[in-house]
């Protein structure tokens, strides 16, 4: 079922605290000097696959034909993310592929996939496989992995082994002690954490 962007935003607006942000989806290595940045595309079934390098030199490239565009939507949750009672540097919500009812999901069992979105009006609770954290200070997003306390450090990221390939699946990884080894998802662009800086090179 196709869903227009206007309808998507109307649904998101049912929550007073809803924030939305749309654009091309980038998967990138969190290192300022030589980021490996990749487009993603939909494969068969629920598959999400790499779609080639998304940067050239110091520039992040605009979305190519077939590259996934999506909208991050904040969703009410049992831990109080998106409210004034919680750490105000992070949001929690879903990543919905534009024009569809599919949301990105990153799990230890299946890696990065896209499946039918849960209702936006239903609170995110322990074990939700569609929830993502988004750092307001930069572009980084990583998946909530079911932790009962929603500890940010217990989320999971995309594994970096297939970055800048075409047609390859993306597995999960635990967060690294060395933050420059982390691979995040960004929507609409790439910048590095609380520096707010754009990449300086493409490896």
């Amino acid at each position: 079922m196709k869903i227009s962007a206007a309808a998507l935003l109307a649904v998101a607006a049912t929550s007073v605290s809803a924030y939305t942000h749309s654009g091309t989806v980038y998967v990138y290595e969190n290192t300022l000097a030589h980021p490996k940045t990749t487009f993603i595309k939909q494969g068969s079934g629920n598959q999400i696959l790499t779609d080639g390098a998304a940067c050239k030199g110091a520039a992040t490239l605009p979305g190519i034909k077939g590259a996934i565009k999506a909208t991050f939507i904040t969703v009410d949750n049992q831990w109080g993310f998106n409210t004034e009672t919680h750490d105000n540097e992070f949001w929690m919500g879903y990543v919905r592929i534009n024009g569809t009812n599919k949301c990105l999901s990153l799990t230890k069992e299946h890696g990065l996939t896209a499946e039918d979105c849960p209702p936006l009006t239903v609170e995110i609770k322990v074990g939700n496989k569609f929830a993502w954290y988004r750092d307001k200070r930069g572009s980084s997003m990583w998946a909530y992995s079911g932790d009962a306390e929603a500890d940010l450090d217990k989320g999971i990221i995309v594994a970096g082994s297939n970055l800048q390939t075409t047609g390859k699946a993306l597995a999960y990884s635990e967060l690294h002690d060395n933050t420059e080894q982390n691979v995040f998802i960004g929507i609409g662009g790439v910048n590095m954490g609380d520096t707010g800086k754009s990449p300086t090179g493409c490896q």
Side-chain angles (χ1 to χ4, degrees), residues 21-30 35 37-39 54-55 59-63 68-70 134-135 138-141 184-193 196-199:
H21 178 74
S22 298
T24 299
V25 177
Y26 297 94
V27 182
Y28 67 95
E29 188 177 66
N30 190 50
T37 306
T38 304
F39 295 117
C55 54
T60 302
L61 299 176
I68 287 176
K69 291 180 172 59
R134 185 178 190 276
D135 190 336
S139 59
S140 60
M141 296 173 54
F184 295 122
I185 286 177
I187 294 180
V190 174
N191 63 59
M192 303 293 142
K197 295 180 179 178
S198 298

Side-chain angles (χ1 to χ4, degrees), residues 22-127:
S22 298
T24 299
V25 177
Y26 297 94
V27 182
Y28 67 95
E29 188 177 66
N30 190 50
T31 171
L32 187 60
H34 298 289
K36 295 180 179 179
T37 306
T38 304
F39 295 117
I40 56 174
K41 63 182 178 180
Q42 292 184 268
S44 60
N46 294 331
Q47 284 186 315
I48 296 294
L49 304 174
T50 58
D51 200 21
C55 54
K56 183 177 182 181
T60 302
L61 299 176
I64 59 175
K65 184 177 181 180
I68 287 176
K69 291 180 172 59
T71 301
F72 173 77
I73 310 162
T74 56
V75 177
D76 291 340
N77 55 86
Q78 71 177 70
W79 304 278
F81 284 95
N82 317 325
T83 71
E84 294 180 358
T85 61
H86 203 282
D87 186 333
N88 63 6
E89 292 180 343
F90 302 93
W91 281 304
M92 176 180 275
Y94 297 148
V95 179
R96 193 170 191 173
I97 298 175
N98 290 356
T100 77
N101 190 40
K102 300 289 185 181
C103 282
L104 294 183
S105 173
L106 179 64
T107 65
K108 296 178 180 180
E109 294 79 14
H110 302 294
L112 188 63
T113 59
E115 301 180 40
D116 289 341
C117 299
L120 299 177
T121 53
V122 175
E123 183 180 72
I124 295 172
K125 295 183 178 180
V126 172

Side-chain angles (χ1 to χ4, degrees), residues 117-192:
C117 299
L120 299 177
T121 53
V122 175
E123 183 180 72
I124 295 172
K125 295 183 178 180
V126 172
N128 184 296
K129 68 178 182 179
F130 294 96
W132 293 80
Y133 301 117
R134 185 178 190 276
D135 190 336
K136 298 180 184 181
R137 301 166 298 175
S139 59
S140 60
M141 296 173 54
W142 64 107
Y144 161 71
S145 63
D147 175 56
E149 302 300 323
D151 184 337
L152 294 164
D153 292 333
K154 292 182 180 177
I156 56 176
I157 57 175
V158 175
S161 54
N162 285 335
L163 293 184
Q164 296 190 326
T165 63
T166 299
K168 299 289 187 181
L170 290 165
Y172 93 97
S173 173
E174 306 288 349
L175 285 160
H176 300 286
D177 291 334
N178 179 355
T179 60
E180 291 193 350
Q181 295 176 347
N182 288 333
V183 174
F184 295 122
I185 286 177
I187 294 180
V190 174
N191 63 59
M192 303 293 142

